[in-house]
């Protein structure tokens, strides 16, 4: 576009200069006669009239006014210029007018073409600026939309990632809470079982102690035990054997066997059982202590994990909220830029009929004007040469001058 504008401007400058020179040439012959003197002449002889008929045709064909009109008509057909065609028609109608009148009509047409070209040059410059500016704006907004789309894509993906992480953290918090609740419930059941076991062991030991005391007291009273309760009358002896029908008792009854003998003595059995209950009580207490310690440690660890997960969910929730606001801002910006882009695209479409589309291009119109102006200049030259002052203003002399110019 810039190169074409330079070429058209150079042609236009040459055209204007040529028009100026043509105008100066025409100004030199302003006021000359445009017709032969109307001196009375005798009528031609019949033979001479017949001989002069072809000369009359030649005169018409070589008439500078007709030549100028034909030149303009031919150029009008070539350039399809209605204005130039109208001028040629006006000149043909006013061929008998003075030369100055015809020259003024041609000059007006030249100035009109110059003004049209000037206006079109200004319009062309405006179009080039608007097309360039609009195209640049359209590209910039498309790049901005693409940039916003990339940001929105990344932010949306990050938002989804945060949503999943928050859901995972909340799920873990719920699982930890369920685990702690279940562990606490199990610990309560275990504690209660241990308490019952300890209580039963204690009750069993108390009962065994009471039973042992009763037996020892019986054996002491029955004489089967020594003063320190460590031996009975039958210590080391075989168990007493009773007859099926003893008729008499030769001594007092002190027991069937040693109550403390191992493993079958009744007191020995009670003592062993009491010891087992005592051991069970100790084991249960130790187990309770171990279970409670492990429970406390586990609860402590789970509380830490639960608090960490809750904090993670909270922090990511804040981040998600900020990111959602950022996405809303990006979407708003994209909508605004997209609206501006639509307006720019529409403006570019509106520029097409005035600046791009049309029956002819700027270069074609400029070339056509150049042809029209050149034809007008040539017409002025023809008329200028035809109406130069001559020594003999007779019609035949004028005809001879015209013929020489046409040759």
């Amino acid at each position: 576009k810039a190169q074409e504008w330079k070429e058209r401007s150079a042609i236009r400058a040459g055209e204007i200069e040529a028009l100026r020179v043509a105008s100066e040439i025409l100004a030199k012959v302003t006021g000359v006669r445009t017709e032969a003197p109307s001196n009375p002449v005798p009528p031609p002889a019949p033979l001479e009239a017949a001989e002069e008929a072809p000369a009359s045709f030649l005169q018409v064909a070589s008439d500078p006014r007709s030549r100028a009109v034909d030149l303009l008509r031919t150029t009008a057909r070539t350039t399809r210029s209605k204005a130039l065609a109208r001028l040629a028609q006006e000149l043909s109608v006013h061929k008998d007018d003075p030369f100055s009148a015809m020259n003024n009509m041609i000059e007006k047409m030249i100035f009109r073409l110059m003004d049209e070209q000037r206006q079109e040059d200004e319009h062309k410059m405006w179009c080039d600026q608007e097309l360039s500016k609009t195209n640049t704006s359209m590209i910039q907004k498309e790049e901005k939309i693409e940039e916003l789309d990339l940001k929105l894509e990344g932010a949306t993906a990050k938002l989804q990632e945060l949503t999943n992480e928050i859901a995972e953290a909340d799920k873990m918090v719920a699982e930890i809470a369920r685990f702690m609740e279940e562990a606490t419930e199990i610990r309560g059941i275990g504690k209660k079982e241990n308490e019952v076991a300890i209580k039963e062991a204690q009750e069993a030991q108390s009962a065994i102690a009471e039973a042992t005391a009763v037996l020892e007291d019986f054996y002491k009273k029955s004489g089967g035990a020594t003063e320190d309760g460590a031996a009975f009358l039958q210590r080391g002896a075989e168990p007493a054997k009773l007859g099926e029908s003893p008729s008499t008792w030769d001594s007092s009854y002190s027991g069937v066997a040693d109550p403390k003998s191992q493993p079958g003595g009744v007191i020995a059995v009670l003592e062993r059982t009491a010891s087992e209950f005592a051991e069970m009580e100790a084991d249960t207490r130790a187990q309770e202590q171990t279970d409670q310690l492990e429970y406390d440690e586990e609860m402590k660890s789970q509380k830490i994990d639960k608090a960490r997960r809750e904090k993670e969910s909270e922090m990511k929730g804040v981040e998600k909220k900020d990111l959602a606001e950022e996405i809303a801002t990006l979407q708003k910006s994209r909508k605004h830029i997209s609206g501006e882009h639509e307006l720019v695209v529409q403006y570019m479409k509106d520029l097409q009929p005035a600046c791009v589309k049309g029956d002819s291009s700027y270069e074609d119109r400029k070339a056509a004007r150049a042809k029209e102006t050149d034809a007008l200049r040539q017409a002025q030259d023809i008329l200028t040469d035809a109406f130069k002052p001559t020594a003999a203003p007779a019609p035949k002399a004028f005809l001879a001058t015209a013929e020489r110019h046409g040759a």
Side-chain angles (χ1 to χ4, degrees):
K1 296 294 184 180
Q3 182 63 29
E4 293 174 357
W5 183 81
K6 290 180 180 179
E7 293 175 357
R8 295 174 67 176
S9 297
I11 295 173
R12 189 178 304 107
E15 177 184 353
I16 294 172
E17 178 62 21
L19 290 172
R20 185 187 64 78
V21 174
S23 297
E24 291 178 355
I25 294 172
L26 291 174
K28 294 179 181 179
V29 294
T30 302
V32 300
R33 295 182 186 184
T34 59
E35 295 179 335
S38 57
N39 295 329
V41 295
L47 182 57
E48 291 178 352
E51 292 176 350
E52 288 180 0
S56 177
F57 174 77
L58 178 62
Q59 181 179 1
V60 172
S62 61
D63 178 22
R65 300 189 187 201
S66 297
R67 288 172 55 199
V69 170
D70 290 341
L71 175 62
L72 295 179
R73 282 175 175 170
T74 301
T75 305
R77 285 193 298 270
T78 302
T79 60
R80 298 181 180 179
S81 174
K82 294 181 179 180
L84 192 60
R86 284 195 299 268
L87 176 62
Q89 181 65 27
E90 290 178 6
L91 290 175
S92 67
V93 173
H94 298 85
K95 284 194 296 184
D96 295 335
D97 288 355
F99 167 75
S100 60
M102 298 182 68
N103 188 55
N104 287 337
M105 294 172 67
I106 293 175
E107 283 188 345
K108 287 181 180 179
M109 186 63 183
I110 291 173
F111 289 142
R112 175 183 174 182
L113 292 173
M114 292 171 59
D115 185 63
E116 287 180 357
Q117 189 59 48
R118 178 188 60 79
Q119 292 181 10
E120 185 162 3
D121 288 342
E122 293 176 354
H123 179 70
K124 175 66 166 53
M125 184 179 298
W126 177 83
C127 281
D128 290 344
Q129 292 175 350
E130 288 299 307
L131 288 170
S132 176
K133 182 174 63 176
T134 304
N135 186 62
T136 300
S137 177
M138 188 164 56
I139 292 174
Q140 290 176 345
K141 294 187 184 304
E142 288 173 353
E143 291 176 348
K144 185 63 177 178
I145 289 174
E146 183 178 357
E147 178 185 351
L148 288 172
D149 285 341
L150 289 175
K151 289 183 178 180
L152 278 169
E153 183 179 354
T156 303
K158 180 62 177 178
L159 183 68
Q160 184 61 45
E161 181 181 351
L162 286 173
T163 301
N164 295 337
E165 291 176 352
I166 291 172
E168 183 180 352
D170 291 342
K171 179 181 178 181
M172 183 57 66
V173 169
E175 289 179 356
I176 291 174
R178 284 194 298 271
F179 170 78
M180 294 177 67
E181 182 179 357
E182 183 179 358
T184 300
E185 182 180 355
I186 293 173
R187 176 81 276 272
I189 295 174
K191 186 177 182 66
K192 184 178 292 185
E193 289 292 330
N194 289 337
E195 290 175 352
V196 171
I198 292 173
K199 181 180 179 182
E200 290 178 350
Q202 291 175 342
E203 291 176 349
Q205 291 178 74
S206 298
I208 291 172
E210 291 180 4
T212 302
V214 170
L215 291 174
E216 287 179 345
D217 183 65
F218 166 75
Y219 288 125
K220 287 180 180 180
K221 291 180 178 180
S222 64
T226 59
E227 293 181 358
D228 57 3
F232 287 80
L233 294 176
Q234 297 177 352
R235 181 182 298 170
E238 292 294 330
K241 294 181 180 180
L242 301 177
E244 292 182 0
S245 300
S247 57
T248 60
W249 296 94
D250 57 1
S251 62
S252 62
Y253 179 74
S254 60
V256 176
D258 185 353
K260 290 189 176 183
S261 63
Q262 297 293 339
V266 62
I267 294 178
V269 171
L270 291 175
E271 289 177 347
R272 187 168 61 251
T273 302
S275 175
E276 290 175 356
F277 277 112
E279 182 178 357
M280 184 186 74
E281 178 185 358
D283 291 342
T284 303
R285 291 184 181 277
Q287 185 64 42
E288 171 64 20
Q289 185 177 5
T290 300
D291 291 346
Q292 187 63 41
L293 181 62
E294 291 178 354
Y295 169 79
D296 292 340
E297 290 293 330
E298 186 64 29
M299 290 300 103
K300 181 180 178 180
S301 175
Q302 293 300 321
K303 286 179 180 179
I304 293 174
D305 288 342
K306 183 172 179 289
R308 180 176 62 82
R309 289 289 189 166
E310 287 174 342
K311 190 64 177 179
E312 177 185 352
S313 176
E314 178 184 354
M315 296 300 294
K316 289 186 177 181
V318 173
E319 185 179 357
K320 178 182 177 182
K321 180 180 178 182
D322 294 341
L323 188 58
E325 293 176 355
E326 180 182 349
I327 290 175
T329 302
L330 289 173
Q331 290 174 337
K332 184 177 180 181
S333 298
R334 191 196 185 286
K335 182 179 180 181
H336 178 71
I337 297 297
S338 180
E340 291 182 347
H341 179 261
E342 291 178 0
L343 293 176
V344 172
V345 171
Q346 183 60 47
Y347 184 57
M348 178 64 82
K349 292 180 180 178
D350 294 341
L351 287 174
Q352 299 301 307
C355 298
V356 180
K357 298 179 180 179
D359 296 335
S360 61
S361 65
Y362 169 81
E363 292 75 15
D364 294 338
R365 291 190 296 273
K366 184 173 182 179
R369 286 194 189 96
K371 289 181 181 179
E372 294 171 20
T373 304
D374 184 62
L376 290 168
R377 185 179 66 246
Q378 293 181 30
Q380 283 185 321
D381 290 342
I382 292 171
L383 294 175
T384 300
D385 291 341
F387 291 102
K388 285 182 179 180
T390 59
K396 290 185 178 180
F398 178 81
L399 176 59
T401 302
E403 288 175 349
R404 285 196 301 271
H405 179 76

